[in-house]
Amino acid sequence: MNFELTNEQKDIQKLARDFAEKELLPQVRERDESGEFPLEAFRKLGKTGIYGLPYPKELGGMGGSYLSYILAVEEISKVDAAFGIAFSVDTSLYGGSIMNSSAPDEIKKKFLAPITYGEKIGSFGLTEHSAGSDAAGQHTVATKDGDSYVINGSKCFNTNGPLADYTVIYCLTDPELGTKGMAAFVVEKGTPGFTVGHVENKMGIRTAMVSDMILDNVRVPAENMIAKPGEGFKLAMKTLDGGRIGVGAQGLGIAEGAYEIARQYLMQRQQFGKPLNKQQYLAFKMAELATDIEKAKLLLYKAALCKEEGQPYSIPAAMAKMTCTDTAMKVATEAVQMLGGNGYMKDYHVERMMRDAKITEIYEGTSEVQRMVISSHLGVK
Ligand code: CAA
């Protein structure tokens, strides 16, 4: 076992950290108020090829490691978790759907290469109003018509939905068969009948664009079908396993960002004649949070390595997601408390981090769904 990052991983970590500090930090508070997604910055980071980092070069990616991608999401999310989820959905839910699919290589390349460099943005359409934690409860239907399929229905809580050039739509080709009749298609922006519905006004991750997507007689060529009938549900589940490692990285980044703000504050703030970090209660609290962060990091990096090395990773991903996101919520909440009145104010960032942390325990499978996934394997050694 080796705990040392490779040079490639350190380089990506530094690239993402420098970008976050120079390009995202200066306006992060203002963006949180306005809710405006930093599209220009997203495209700028894309020029490095980072959104296709973990996918093979011959399919339009950068041929890097999954852990490198995870390190990048972690660094970005220390500063701007809303940007972190836009990145993670683009790479691991949209890009992951393409990569995990049985589509021919030329189709994979067609739909992957443009997202690698941020020229196009991807989104993932699984959730419906009737299909949240119970992802099998789908109502969107695709009907074959000659050389194409006609899709009708709607999706909700689509991260990147209003921005996306490509959205993977999971839907039923045979509603009688339930999950065994599910397929998946890439639907391109501008396809007649495919529109952005209600755009959500959220508690946190304020600048991530999340919306309903409406499909009204949307005709897509059969070649856009990336999962054949019967393969769609498994593709969604496998892709979510990878996505959950990305959300884990987002959670870990929030926890580390909030921890660092609290650490610096405790060292400079004097009360009762000494800096707060010399108060044993607060010093012990920081020791506990530092240990929580380290535990979460070990689970997260292990899950990324399992994926990278072709080992089973559903359970490691669920454990990492559950732990990292609960740690994000705990550390951000404690940071607000440790900063006292200042922590409640927007200038110190930790109240935003606390709001951002909450959604990480919910999307891409709630903490309860992660417990379902982990407990379903209790009988398996
Ligand atoms: N990989 C591959 N196949 C899998 C799998 C996996 N990880 N998990 C299950 N499957 C297969 C099973 O083997 C089974 O196959 P067979 O029919 O051949 O036996 C099939 O899928 C059905 O499996 P289950 O019976 O276990 O499925 P279920 O209906 O009980 O659902 C669940 C299980 C884990 C609760 C699942 O519904 C789930 O993950 N729910 C949460 C959904 C979710 O995370 N949604 C987030 C959407 S994205 C988002 O959050 C928005 C955003 O943009 C950020």
Side-chain angles (χ1 to χ4, degrees):
M1 201 182 296
N2 182 0
F3 287 98
E4 187 63 22
L5 297 178
T6 64
N7 286 339
E8 176 213 285
Q9 289 157 355
K10 286 182 194 160
D11 288 347
I12 293 292
Q13 193 178 43
K14 181 169 180 336
L15 183 152
R17 183 178 300 155
D18 290 349
F19 181 85
E21 282 168 8
K22 287 196 193 104
E23 305 285 340
L24 299 178
L25 184 58
Q27 299 294 319
V28 68
R29 232 202 70 200
E30 288 74 8
R31 284 197 304 276
D32 180 62
E33 303 248 324
S34 71
E36 193 180 328
F37 182 73
L39 187 56
E40 208 179 302
F42 194 81
R43 299 237 192 259
K44 188 168 183 182
L45 181 59
K47 288 194 194 320
T48 62
I50 204 164
Y51 305 132
L53 188 58
Y55 302 123
K57 284 188 175 160
E58 55 277 20
L59 295 178
M62 291 296 281
S65 70
Y66 210 74
L67 183 53
S68 297
Y69 151 65
I70 288 305
L71 292 165
V73 174
E74 179 189 343
E75 289 303 322
I76 296 285
S77 302
K78 283 181 187 174
V79 170
D80 185 345
F83 195 107
I85 192 63
F87 176 3
S88 178
V89 166
D90 199 37
T91 299
S92 51
L93 289 191
Y94 171 76
S97 294
I98 304 292
M99 278 309 304
N100 294 329
S101 77
S102 56
D105 283 355
E106 67 269 21
I107 294 292
K108 285 187 178 169
K109 193 167 181 180
K110 174 180 171 186
F111 289 123
L112 198 64
I115 71 130
T116 294
Y117 293 98
E119 291 149 13
K120 305 274 185 195
I121 296 175
S123 175
F124 176 86
L126 176 70
T127 304
E128 298 184 8
H129 289 290
S130 60
S133 289
D134 183 6
Q138 303 278 321
H139 284 100
T140 298
V141 172
T143 311
K144 194 163 182 3
D145 184 28
D147 283 344
S148 50
Y149 281 80
V150 176
I151 310 179
N152 279 290
S154 66
K155 297 287 164 183
C156 65
F157 301 153
N158 258 88
T159 304
N160 293 347
L163 301 167
D165 301 281
Y166 304 136
T167 301
V168 174
I169 296 289
Y170 289 86
C171 54
L172 302 173
T173 46
D174 192 342
E176 302 285 299
L177 296 179
T179 56
K180 295 206 185 313
M182 196 187 288
F185 298 84
V186 177
V187 181
E188 299 191 43
K189 186 182 199 165
T191 307
F194 186 47
T195 50
V196 177
H198 172 68
V199 179
E200 302 292 347
N201 182 8
K202 309 179 298 308
M203 167 184 174
I205 55 158
R206 301 264 315 145
T207 66
M209 303 289 286
V210 176
S211 71
D212 286 357
M213 299 303 294
I214 314 296
L215 298 114
D216 181 11
N217 281 320
V218 175
R219 186 174 288 274
V220 292
E223 67 165 31
N224 284 28
M225 185 164 71
I226 58 165
K228 296 191 185 83
E231 292 179 356
F233 191 74
K234 288 182 185 178
L235 176 62
M237 290 298 112
K238 188 170 181 198
T239 301
L240 278 166
D241 287 341
R244 287 167 184 163
I245 309 176
V247 175
Q250 187 202 17
L252 180 63
I254 296 171
E256 291 172 309
Y259 177 89
E260 184 54 23
I261 290 170
R263 192 183 70 81
Q264 287 182 20
Y265 185 89
L266 296 191
M267 289 196 304
Q268 57 83 19
R269 170 91 171 156
Q270 300 265 343
Q271 290 286 277
F272 305 107
K274 54 183 175 181
L276 288 182
N277 69 319
K278 300 289 181 206
Q279 317 277 358
Q280 192 182 55
Y281 175 78
L282 292 172
F284 279 17
K285 179 59 73 182
M286 288 300 277
E288 182 188 320
L289 298 183
T291 308
D292 285 337
I293 288 171
E294 196 60 22
K295 284 190 281 193
K297 187 178 286 193
L298 288 172
L299 279 173
L300 183 74
Y301 292 3
K302 181 189 167 190
L305 287 176
C306 286
K307 175 163 166 47
E308 202 167 298
E309 290 168 2
Q311 296 172 34
Y313 59 93
S314 300
I315 304 305
M319 288 178 172
K321 202 253 179 197
M322 184 175 87
T323 307
C324 290
T325 62
D326 288 351
T327 301
M329 198 64 224
K330 177 176 173 182
V331 176
T333 308
E334 293 284 8
V336 170
Q337 187 70 21
M338 285 190 273
L339 267 69
N342 285 328
Y344 198 69
M345 305 306 160
K346 292 192 181 273
D347 286 344
Y348 286 80
H349 297 282
V350 286
E351 66 80 35
R352 169 175 55 84
M353 292 171 163
M354 182 177 148
R355 286 186 283 109
D356 288 352
K358 188 61 214 167
I359 190 61
T360 68
E361 295 183 306
I362 297 172
Y363 55 28
E364 298 196 34
T366 59
S367 298
E368 292 74 17
V369 163
Q370 307 315 316
R371 285 172 171 81
M372 284 169 74
V373 171
I374 298 162
S375 61
S376 71
H377 285 69
L378 287 180
V380 182
K381 280 199 180 164

